[in-house]
Amino acid sequence: DDEEDDHDIDDNAATSNQATSSPTTETTEAITTTTTKQLDLTIPTNWTGTTPQKKLEEVLKKQQLPRARYTKLPMNSGFKLTITILDKESNTNNSTAKKKKKKQQPQTIERQYQANHSDYTKTSSLKDHLATLALYELDPSLPLYSVFPGPFRTLWLSWMNEKRERREIEEKEVEGEKKARVDYLIGLIEKVRIEQKGEDGGGGNVGDGALEKDADNDIQDDGSDGMVDNWEDEEVEDDTAVRITTNNNKNPSTTGKKLQREFTKRICTPSYQKMKAIRDTLPMLQYRQTILDTVKDHPVVIVQADTGAGKSTQCAQYILEQALMDGMGDSVNMICTQPRRVAATSVAERVADEMVESLGNMVGYQIRMESRRSSRTKLLFCTTGVVLRRLQDDPNLTGVTHVIVDEVHERQQQTDVLLIVLRQLLQTTRPDLKVILMSATMDEKLFCSFFHGAPLVSVPGRTFPVNNYYLEDLLEATDHLIEESSRYALRENYRGEKTQMMITTRGGEKRKQMVDCHDNPLSMELDESFYPGFKLSTRLSLWRVNEEAINYDLVEDVLTLLLVKKDYSALAPPEGADLSSNGSILVFLPGLGEIKALAERLQGNRHFRSCDIIPMHSTLSSKDQRRAFTPASPGRSKIILGTNICETSITLPDVVCVIDCGRVRQVTRNKRTGGSMLIQQWCAKSSCKQRAGRAGNTKAAG
């Protein structure tokens, strides 16, 4: 084993540039320390597996590095190993620098290891020992030792144990230092508390009395350690009260004053005043001070604002603007959650425009695989999943002052988990955190009781007149007839004879279809009391219709009536609405399959060649979703085919008509199997109200 290989070189030709990095120094010192007992690293004669020397050659060859060189020490006292490895630090710095035209070669460094015969038994393999040491330094986390002979495997494991023990000792030292600092701070807080309690009302200084009074107020307002019926009745320990008082009473810092000056200059600009004039027309303006005072005095606030009130864009702005005006902009860090990606991006863009800020500066957003934020961002819009992911790394939401949960009525699993975590934080480690829940159609009693009597701020909405028309009105206006054999007709589900017939579809296309050969029991004579006042064709269609099926033919007929024939006599818009302009029509469908089916039908209809068919679904990229916010070109109309993603938080300013199929696809729990399943069902009344509000958000619509 001690004989030189063919690739060995003389000692005089060996490179003397020995590495001095700390990992090598630590490992070499730990391994080559001279002991009175010699190491026995003998490879068994019956060993048939690989050896450390062979494994080292494989690793170097895989990394395209030069072969290892073994040289004898003077007077044949041992061996020295020289290898060339990649310099990880230099290569990492090069990768972060700007790329040059020519590809840079990776930088390498040399490592040298040596072993003396006097430290080992006569039969030990010194070359394999040096190879094991080199492999361990290259990557100690790789389980290469599992293929080594027993002595080298034991040696590798002993190095791992020593490293783990050193790390545990260092962690204990760090924890001890942290505990000492915490004990020191607790002692200071206790000292301040004793001094405040021992002060006499007439003999103390004016500043001390004010501090004591402010501390009492903070205890009453921000206390949230106990579990009582009302947040204002909860008690807080004195050390928490002192900490909260210090935060609330601190003077504006240099950065806060700088932000204050910048914001003061900005509000005087014409662009800001123009946006402010638009914002002042929203109902939220009348409740601005009420919201600010309630948020200041309570840890949890529930804001119920109807559609069109401006809660999604204004509530967070009011808090941020007030902090900037007070010179406390540097200490504010708000997170506003939205249930969907398109809502987070669109609301962030709108708020940035209203504050006359570039997106990603003071206002930003973060969604899956996309982010527009910086170190100056004070208001971050994101999805609920992003906040939950942050809570995994930072359970206390360090640095965050306000968490705004928008559209809280959408009782998704992620939203419920977030509310539970926020309530736990308020009761334990973050009593200073401010939580604001917002929605237009929520059960306010449920959320108030969940957060122990949190105050409620109700804001009326601002919606323009909207005329609602239902299925019978659409059938009457379009003269649409549902035949007995139509796939949109309700049938009895029983076995009968079937045959294949040629069916002529709309447009003259003929195709084969399997039909039932039996009498339809629903073809009975209609009673006069069944939808009186409507035409016979409408009454027959209502009798036969399968309301759970998406009638693409009827949707197409309605679009033809509005966009092609432009006949508004039957479906009259409200006063002030102009459906003849280049507005958009929003069609709500259950899922992506229905969107594709209707889009293909409309694109194949020559009457809609002057229309832009835009899908709106959660699986689309943010770039494709933003197409819905772009106004249509002159002379063209825009048809948006969307799911419930268009239902809340977003405002499509040019929508003049909404066609709601009344269906939604949601994930529900199977009570029998306990699993989850995606089913299509009727949407809730609150959702229908939200969908209707999409048409009257910015102007009168039909």
Side-chain angles (χ1 to χ4, degrees):
D1 290 336
D2 292 346
E3 295 181 359
E4 293 183 357
D5 297 332
D6 295 337
H7 56 278
D8 292 345
I9 61 176
D10 295 336
D11 179 58
N12 296 331
T15 304
S16 60
N17 183 18
Q18 185 171 355
T20 59
S21 62
S22 57
T24 305
T25 304
E26 291 181 4
T27 306
T28 305
E29 291 178 356
I31 306 304
T32 61
T33 302
T34 304
T35 57
T36 56
K37 184 178 179 181
Q38 293 181 332
L39 292 175
D40 186 6
L41 299 177
T42 304
I43 299 178
T45 55
N46 58 350
W47 178 256
T48 58
T50 186
T51 61
Q53 290 188 65
K54 295 179 181 179
K55 198 64 180 179
L56 178 62
E57 292 297 334
E58 293 177 5
V59 173
L60 296 177
K61 184 178 180 180
K62 186 176 181 180
Q63 298 182 5
Q64 298 180 354
L65 296 173
R67 302 180 67 181
R69 294 171 293 179
Y70 298 89
T71 56
K72 288 185 178 180
L73 295 178
M75 301 180 65
N76 198 19
S77 59
F79 284 96
K80 179 170 64 175
L81 169 63
T82 304
I83 61 173
T84 302
I85 62 174
L86 296 175
D87 188 359
K88 296 182 180 179
E89 295 183 0
S90 300
N91 294 327
T92 303
N93 296 333
N94 291 336
S95 63
T96 57
K98 296 182 178 179
K99 295 183 179 179
K100 299 182 180 179
K101 293 183 178 180
K102 295 183 179 180
K103 186 177 180 181
Q104 295 183 350
Q105 295 293 334
Q107 299 186 14
T108 59
I109 56 176
E110 284 193 349
R111 289 282 193 268
Q112 292 185 353
Y113 313 88
Q114 65 181 22
N116 297 319
H117 285 299
S118 58
D119 298 331
Y120 305 87
T121 59
K122 185 178 293 186
T123 57
S124 296
S125 175
L126 271 66
K127 292 183 180 180
D128 286 299
H129 181 207
L130 296 176
T132 305
L133 180 59
L135 289 170
Y136 181 81
E137 182 182 345
L138 285 174
D139 193 349
S141 62
L142 292 178
L144 300 177
Y145 61 88
S146 60
V147 297
F148 290 168
F152 298 95
R153 189 186 314 123
T154 304
L155 185 64
W156 187 297
L157 292 175
S158 66
W159 294 341
M160 293 178 62
N161 293 333
E162 291 178 3
K163 183 179 180 180
R164 184 174 62 255
E165 292 175 358
R166 289 196 300 269
R167 185 172 62 250
E168 291 177 354
I169 293 174
E170 293 174 356
E171 291 177 354
K172 289 181 179 180
E173 293 177 353
V174 173
E175 290 296 330
E177 294 176 357
K178 289 182 179 180
K179 187 177 183 301
R181 289 197 297 269
V182 171
D183 294 339
Y184 174 73
L185 293 175
I186 292 176
L188 291 179
I189 294 174
E190 184 68 18
K191 183 178 179 181
V192 173
R193 184 182 65 82
I194 295 175
E195 291 177 355
Q196 289 181 350
K197 285 188 175 182
E199 289 176 354
D200 189 5
N205 295 329
V206 176
D208 296 337
L211 177 62
E212 184 177 359
K213 182 177 181 181
D214 290 341
D216 294 338
N217 293 336
D218 288 331
I219 293 175
Q220 181 181 359
D221 294 340
D222 295 335
S224 56
D225 285 344
M227 295 285 291
V228 293
D229 295 335
N230 194 295
W231 286 89
E232 296 180 350
D233 297 333
E234 298 179 20
E235 297 180 355
V236 180
E237 295 180 3
D238 292 336
D239 56 347
T240 306
V242 172
R243 176 167 56 85
I244 296 175
T245 302
T246 305
N247 290 338
N248 289 341
N249 293 335
K250 66 179 182 180
N251 296 324
S253 62
T254 304
T255 305
K257 293 179 180 179
K258 180 181 178 182
L259 294 174
Q260 184 183 28
R261 291 192 298 269
E262 293 177 356
F263 183 70
T264 304
K265 293 180 181 179
R266 192 190 315 144
I267 61 178
C268 299
T269 59
S271 56
Y272 186 89
Q273 292 298 325
K274 180 180 178 181
M275 297 301 300
K276 186 176 184 299
I278 300 175
R279 294 174 55 193
D280 290 347
T281 60
L282 298 173
M284 285 289 291
L285 179 65
Q286 302 177 6
Y287 296 85
R288 181 181 186 275
Q289 195 59 42
T290 302
I291 293 175
L292 292 176
D293 295 340
T294 310
V295 171
K296 180 180 179 182
D297 297 337
H298 299 84
V300 180
V301 178
I302 299 175
V303 179
Q304 184 179 20
D306 293 339
T307 302
K311 62 182 181 305
S312 299
T313 58
Q314 302 306 306
C315 186
Q317 278 192 81
Y318 293 158
I319 300 174
L320 180 58
E321 289 174 345
Q322 187 64 38
L324 292 173
M325 292 298 296
D326 295 340
M328 309 297 292
D330 59 328
S331 61
V332 172
N333 187 3
M334 294 187 291
I335 294 179
C336 183
T337 69
Q338 296 291 339
R340 298 174 184 86
R341 292 182 298 154
V342 63
T345 56
S346 61
V347 175
E349 291 173 356
R350 178 62 183 176
V351 172
D353 292 340
E354 291 181 355
M355 296 193 67
V356 195
E357 282 274 359
S358 58
L359 187 61
N361 189 19
M362 189 74 70
V363 181
Y365 69 82
Q366 181 176 356
I367 58 177
R368 179 170 55 90
M369 306 296 293
E370 186 178 350
S371 176
R372 291 285 298 275
R373 59 180 301 184
S374 64
S375 58
R376 288 175 51 89
T377 302
K378 300 300 180 182
L379 175 56
L380 180 67
F381 291 89
C382 59
T383 54
T384 309
V386 171
V387 181
L388 293 178
R389 183 64 183 87
R390 176 171 178 175
L391 282 167
Q392 293 179 352
D393 300 330
D394 182 13
N396 293 329
L397 291 178
T398 306
V400 177
T401 58
H402 298 74
V403 177
I404 304 175
V405 185
D406 198 5
E407 307 301 341
V408 74
H409 71 276
E410 297 193 15
R411 296 292 305 281
Q412 301 174 352
Q413 290 183 356
Q414 290 185 345
T415 305
D416 288 350
V417 172
L418 178 60
L419 295 180
I420 294 172
V421 174
L422 291 177
R423 187 175 73 167
Q424 184 68 20
L425 280 177
L426 290 168
Q427 296 172 353
T428 54
T429 58
R430 289 298 308 275
D432 58 323
L433 184 66
K434 300 293 185 180
V435 178
I436 304 170
L437 311 180
M438 299 191 304
S439 177
T441 56
M442 66 175 174
D443 185 358
E444 64 276 7
K445 294 182 180 180
L446 176 64
F447 289 96
C448 288
S449 62
F450 182 77
F451 284 99
H452 311 298
L456 173 67
V457 179
S458 297
V459 181
R462 184 204 64 173
T463 55
F464 292 92
V466 176
N467 285 356
N468 295 319
Y469 295 98
Y470 301 95
L471 177 60
E472 57 271 18
D473 302 316
L474 302 182
L475 293 173
E476 185 84 1
T478 59
D479 292 328
H480 182 84
L481 178 62
I482 299 178
E483 301 287 350
E484 294 181 4
S485 58
S486 173
R487 58 176 175 172
Y488 308 120
L490 191 63
R491 306 184 186 189
E492 288 288 342
N493 294 325
Y494 63 87
R495 295 183 181 180
E497 294 184 6
K498 293 188 178 183
T499 184
Q500 194 175 52
M501 298 179 60
M502 293 297 297
I503 304 297
T504 302
T505 61
R506 184 168 299 183
E509 180 185 357
K510 293 184 178 181
R511 57 184 175 85
K512 292 183 178 181
Q513 181 175 335
M514 297 296 297
V515 297
D516 296 328
C517 296
H518 59 77
D519 294 333
N520 192 340
L522 299 179
S523 60
M524 56 188 300
E525 294 185 3
L526 297 177
D527 192 348
E528 292 295 334
S529 61
F530 185 75
Y531 284 92
F534 289 91
K535 293 183 293 187
L536 179 61
S537 60
T538 301
R539 296 168 61 201
L540 285 173
S541 298
L542 291 171
W543 180 260
R544 298 166 181 163
V545 66
N546 181 8
E547 296 179 349
E548 295 184 357
I550 306 298
N551 194 332
Y552 301 105
D553 293 340
L554 179 58
V555 175
E556 191 172 354
D557 287 342
V558 174
L559 292 174
T560 303
L561 181 67
L562 297 176
L563 299 178
V564 180
K565 298 180 180 179
K566 297 185 182 297
D567 182 8
Y568 310 125
S569 58
L571 302 178
E575 184 179 356
D578 185 11
L579 300 184
S580 61
S581 61
N582 292 345
S584 300
I585 295 181
L586 176 59
V587 183
F588 280 100
L589 295 166
L592 184 59
E594 290 77 10
I595 291 177
K596 290 182 177 179
L598 183 57
E600 291 175 358
R601 293 173 65 98
L602 298 179
Q603 291 169 356
N605 192 329
R606 59 184 178 87
H607 296 300
F608 297 104
R609 292 177 181 175
S610 61
C611 299
D612 297 328
I613 313 300
I614 300 177
M616 193 70 169
H617 192 264
S618 60
T619 59
L620 300 177
S621 63
S622 300
K623 181 180 180 181
D624 294 335
Q625 290 176 349
R626 291 192 184 98
R627 290 180 56 201
F629 299 90
T630 305
S633 304
R636 298 183 65 86
S637 298
K638 188 169 62 174
I639 302 176
I640 304 173
L641 308 179
T643 60
N644 57 351
I645 192 176
C646 303
E647 188 176 302
T648 56
S649 297
I650 66 173
T651 299
L652 303 173
D654 55 349
V655 172
V656 296
C657 180
V658 170
I659 300 177
D660 184 11
C661 295
R663 304 287 290 177
V664 65
R665 188 169 284 118
Q666 292 182 340
V667 177
T668 59
R669 180 177 178 272
N670 190 327
K671 296 182 179 180
R672 184 175 61 86
T673 63
S676 300
M677 55 182 180
L678 185 65
I679 63 173
Q680 186 183 129
Q681 59 187 9
W682 293 107
C683 60
K685 289 184 179 180
S686 60
S687 298
C688 294
K689 183 180 178 181
Q690 289 274 15
R691 294 182 178 187
R694 298 302 100 188
N697 246 6
T698 58
K699 53 187 174 182

